[in-house]
Amino acid sequence: SAAAAAASSSSMGKKVYANKEEAVEAFKSLLKDKGVTSRDKWSQIMQKIIHDPRYQALRTVKERKNILEEYKDEIGIVEEQERMEAEKKAKTLFFALLESCEWIHEKTPWAEFRDKNGSEAKFIIVTDERRRKDYFYDYRDELEAKNRKMRKEKRKANIAILKEKLKSEECSWVTADATWRDAKEHGIVEMDGAKDLDKEDVVEVFDDIIKDLRDKEREKKAREKEKRRKQERKLRDEFRKVLEGKALDGLLHSKSDWDDVKEVVKEEECYVQLSAMTKAKITASDVFEDFAQDLEDRIASPKKHVKTAIKAKMGNVKHDSDLVKVIELIKDDPDLEDIEEEDVKLSVIEVIAKAQHKHKEREKKIKRYIKTFEKDLRKYLARAFADDLKALKKTPMDEAVEKCSSKLRDTSAFEKLEQKQKQASFEKICLELLDDGDMDVENGGEEEEEVKSSSKKKKRKRKRGSSESSDNSEESDDDDEDSSKKKKKKSSSKSSKKKKSKKKRRRDDSRSGSD
């Protein structure tokens, strides 16, 4: 009955709220005034708020619990922010304490710091021991990173100083060919910047400098090589144009010998420069070979028609045929209408050049015949007129040849040569044989004396060899070799004397003939 009376009395004093929102705000204000936190339980909260009239703002327990949870969510966010700000402030004060301890380094242990600063307010403000350790080790890691960065920047600065020093004019010895031994001899380890660097860093800096120099040198050589290659190509193109011009002028052709071509182009500036390039991969002769091959391919077809036209108009071309006249003679040939004038001209030049080549070969062959004929004629005339060489002066060629062996008349040289060529050779050999006969008469006495002296020397050597032992046989052989060498020298001196006397007699004969 007492509880009912209290309830009735309370119900009689119950505040009436205008709406639901006002009732909720009243209940939340109750929770706030009583200091309810997000961590409190319902039973604990009930003891704080049940006797407050605002507890009756909400009619059911369920509504009160729902609003309580809503309030806890709201206040939880605020509490978390406050907690974080408090931790941040505590961390800031703790790190300020760490920074004030200048004696702390990268390897300072936690126990040392704790023992020295455990009573400090900035130390105590961080209540969690694990968090204190984490802050300490984080600070030590930051200190290590900072020191590492400072060392790196210092090393970088010293490397830059050393590089600048090695690149300066004072270190002119630093070239692409310099070695570490050279660097040590010039005191690289005592240079500015190197003193505060490790040896490995100094070596690395020196190697980088040398590598850069070598790269620059390679690039320079590559540029020079490219420049030289372009210059060579330009000169080759110019020289090829010169060859084309000389070919059209009839001074060379596809079968020309390079030695002959050099005489034609030796005054050309492009040829002189190209020949001076000793390292050129393609020489002037190579350019000519390529040009000659291209020229031969170019006129291979036109040359057939030109040959046919020449044969129809004038028969065979001779070695002394005039280029202009030949071209004028065949220009109206119908087979040459579709051929360019330059190709016709080049083809005619080739045909005339071939005729000239054949003519030269014939002349060479005739010279060989004459040489062979004169050799045989000299041998057989010397035998036939051995007793009376002076009779050759009055003997005609045919009669003299008849007196010689029949082998002379059977030689191919005798058959191939014309009469006038054989007559000239006969007169020449007669003069030489007569000159040789006179020389034999003059030098006969001297030769007999030399033969006698040589025979005496041989006798003395035989006696000396028989008296010596077999152990000295090698020395006697050496003496014989020396004597044979002396004989050879004497014979060569005799032949040179004969040649000189022959030349003198010929000069005298030519002078007497002219008189």
Side-chain angles (χ1 to χ4, degrees):
S1 60
S8 63
S9 63
S10 63
S11 62
M12 288 174 65
K14 182 179 178 182
K15 183 178 180 180
V16 179
Y17 296 95
N19 50 44
K20 183 77 172 182
E21 288 78 9
E22 187 177 346
V24 171
E25 288 298 325
F27 189 77
K28 284 184 178 180
S29 63
L30 171 62
L31 296 174
K32 184 178 180 181
D33 293 343
K34 296 301 179 178
V36 175
T37 65
S38 60
R39 296 184 296 276
D40 291 343
K41 296 181 180 180
W42 173 252
S43 58
Q44 296 172 342
I45 296 170
M46 279 292 293
Q47 294 176 5
K48 294 179 180 180
I49 67 174
I50 193 170
H51 298 292
D52 193 290
R54 288 173 291 183
Y55 177 77
Q56 300 296 330
L58 299 174
R59 289 186 292 179
T60 63
V61 175
K62 184 178 181 181
E63 287 180 334
R64 294 183 188 110
K65 286 185 176 181
N66 289 337
I67 297 303
L68 176 62
E69 292 299 323
E70 185 179 328
Y71 176 78
K72 282 185 176 182
D73 292 338
E74 292 174 359
I75 200 173
I77 295 172
V78 175
E79 289 176 352
E80 181 65 21
Q81 289 176 351
E82 291 175 353
R83 184 186 62 77
M84 290 176 65
E85 288 177 1
E87 286 182 0
K88 185 177 180 181
K89 182 180 178 181
K91 182 179 179 181
T92 303
L93 293 173
F94 193 85
F95 267 85
L97 175 63
L98 290 167
E99 289 175 358
S100 65
C101 300
E102 297 179 355
W103 51 270
I104 296 176
H105 53 81
E106 301 169 9
K107 297 181 180 180
T108 301
W110 158 251
E112 182 180 355
F113 172 73
R114 182 191 58 197
D115 295 342
K116 290 183 178 180
N117 299 279
S119 60
E120 295 286 338
K122 294 178 181 180
F123 183 90
I124 297 172
I125 195 170
V126 180
T127 57
D128 188 4
E129 181 73 6
R130 180 180 292 179
R131 188 160 291 179
R132 290 171 186 162
K133 284 185 178 181
D134 291 340
Y135 288 163
F136 174 76
Y137 288 124
D138 288 345
Y139 175 76
R140 202 175 69 172
D141 292 342
E142 290 177 5
L143 188 65
E144 184 179 1
K146 185 178 178 181
N147 292 337
R148 185 165 57 248
K149 184 179 179 182
M150 289 176 61
R151 288 194 299 270
K152 188 176 181 181
E153 290 177 353
K154 186 177 180 181
R155 174 178 173 273
K156 187 177 180 180
N158 287 325
I159 287 174
I161 293 171
L162 181 58
K163 282 187 176 181
E164 192 67 25
K165 180 72 173 178
L166 292 173
K167 291 178 181 179
S168 64
E169 295 181 358
E170 297 179 17
C171 297
S172 58
W173 55 271
V174 180
T175 62
D177 299 326
T179 61
W180 176 246
R181 178 177 292 179
D182 299 331
K184 287 195 294 184
E185 290 177 356
H186 286 85
I188 189 173
V189 293
E190 300 298 327
M191 291 182 180
D192 296 339
K195 296 177 182 179
D196 298 325
L197 290 173
D198 296 335
K199 182 181 177 182
E200 291 78 7
D201 292 333
V202 178
V203 173
E204 184 178 353
V205 170
F206 177 75
D207 290 341
D208 290 342
I209 293 288
I210 299 302
K211 183 178 179 296
D212 292 341
L213 289 173
R214 288 175 181 174
D215 291 341
K216 289 179 181 178
E217 188 171 341
R218 275 195 295 270
E219 290 174 1
K220 183 181 178 182
K221 288 182 178 179
R223 288 194 299 271
E224 291 176 353
K225 185 178 180 181
E226 181 65 18
K227 183 179 178 181
R228 187 169 60 250
R229 187 186 67 80
K230 289 180 179 179
Q231 187 179 3
E232 289 175 7
R233 185 170 184 175
K234 182 181 177 182
L235 290 174
R236 290 198 301 269
D237 293 341
E238 291 178 0
F239 184 56
R240 190 177 178 92
K241 290 180 180 179
V242 169
L243 293 174
E244 290 174 358
K246 298 296 182 183
L248 289 172
D249 294 339
L251 299 176
L252 57 89
H253 50 86
S254 64
K255 297 297 189 297
S256 294
D257 188 69
W258 171 239
D259 292 334
D260 299 333
V261 175
K262 283 195 292 186
E263 292 298 320
V264 175
V265 300
K266 64 181 180 181
E267 301 297 333
E268 300 293 335
E269 184 63 23
C270 57
Y271 167 73
V272 175
Q273 293 184 19
L274 192 59
S275 300
M277 292 183 175
T278 55
K279 295 183 179 180
K281 290 185 178 180
I282 302 176
T283 61
S285 61
D286 296 331
V287 175
F288 171 70
E289 288 180 6
D290 293 340
F291 169 76
Q293 185 62 48
D294 293 342
L295 180 60
E296 185 177 1
D297 297 339
R298 174 183 174 182
I299 63 172
S301 179
K303 188 164 66 172
K304 295 178 182 178
H305 298 289
V306 169
K307 282 183 177 181
T308 304
I310 291 173
K311 196 167 185 179
K313 295 291 183 179
M314 57 182 294
N316 294 326
V317 172
K318 296 181 180 179
H319 69 281
D320 55 354
S321 296
D322 185 76
L323 174 64
V324 178
K325 290 181 179 180
V326 175
I327 294 173
E328 186 69 24
L329 190 64
I330 66 171
K331 68 178 183 179
D332 297 329
D333 191 283
D335 292 339
L336 305 181
E337 291 179 357
D338 298 333
I339 302 175
E340 295 183 5
E341 292 183 5
E342 286 189 358
D343 291 347
V344 173
K345 186 177 182 180
L346 292 171
S347 299
V348 174
I349 291 171
E350 289 280 336
V351 173
I352 294 175
K354 187 174 183 179
Q356 291 173 348
H357 177 72
K358 288 182 178 180
H359 178 72
K360 287 181 181 179
E361 290 297 320
R362 283 195 296 270
E363 287 185 341
K364 289 180 182 179
K365 191 178 289 186
I366 289 171
K367 286 181 180 179
R368 289 197 296 270
Y369 286 147
I370 291 173
K371 185 177 180 180
T372 304
F373 175 69
E374 289 179 353
K375 181 180 178 181
D376 295 337
L377 184 64
R378 181 184 182 88
K379 180 175 67 174
Y380 290 119
L381 286 177
R383 290 178 184 176
F385 293 89
D387 297 333
D388 187 10
L389 283 174
K390 292 183 178 180
L392 275 171
K393 289 183 177 181
K394 301 177 182 180
T395 307
M397 183 190 72
D398 294 337
E399 186 177 341
V401 170
E402 286 293 331
K403 288 185 178 183
C404 294
S405 172
S406 61
K407 292 181 179 180
L408 177 62
R409 296 187 294 276
D410 294 337
T411 59
S412 59
F414 185 85
E415 295 175 356
K416 296 288 184 181
L417 293 175
E418 297 179 359
Q419 185 66 21
K420 62 181 181 179
Q421 294 169 338
K422 289 188 279 189
Q423 181 65 37
S425 296
F426 174 74
E427 293 174 1
K428 175 185 174 183
I429 296 302
C430 287
L431 289 174
E432 290 178 358
L433 286 172
L434 291 171
D435 289 343
D436 291 344
D438 293 338
M439 284 294 298
D440 292 340
V441 172
E442 291 179 4
N443 299 327
E446 295 179 2
E447 291 177 355
E448 288 178 1
E449 290 179 1
E450 289 178 357
V451 170
K452 289 179 181 180
S453 63
S454 63
S455 63
K456 288 179 180 179
K457 288 180 181 179
K458 287 181 180 179
K459 289 179 180 179
R460 285 197 295 270
K461 287 177 182 177
R462 289 195 192 100
K463 291 179 181 179
R464 196 180 298 127
S466 61
S467 61
E468 290 176 351
S469 63
S470 61
D471 294 336
N472 295 329
S473 61
E474 293 180 359
E475 294 181 5
S476 65
D477 292 336
D478 293 338
D479 293 337
D480 292 337
E481 289 177 4
D482 293 338
S483 63
S484 64
K485 288 180 182 178
K486 289 179 181 179
K487 288 179 183 179
K488 288 180 181 178
K489 287 182 180 178
K490 286 182 180 180
S491 62
S492 63
S493 62
K494 286 180 186 178
S495 61
S496 62
K497 286 180 182 179
K498 286 183 180 181
K499 288 179 181 178
K500 288 180 182 179
S501 62
K502 283 181 184 179
K503 289 180 180 179
K504 187 177 180 181
R505 286 176 180 275
R506 286 174 188 168
R507 285 197 296 269
D508 295 339
D509 292 340
S510 61
R511 287 174 185 171
S512 62
S514 61
D515 294 339

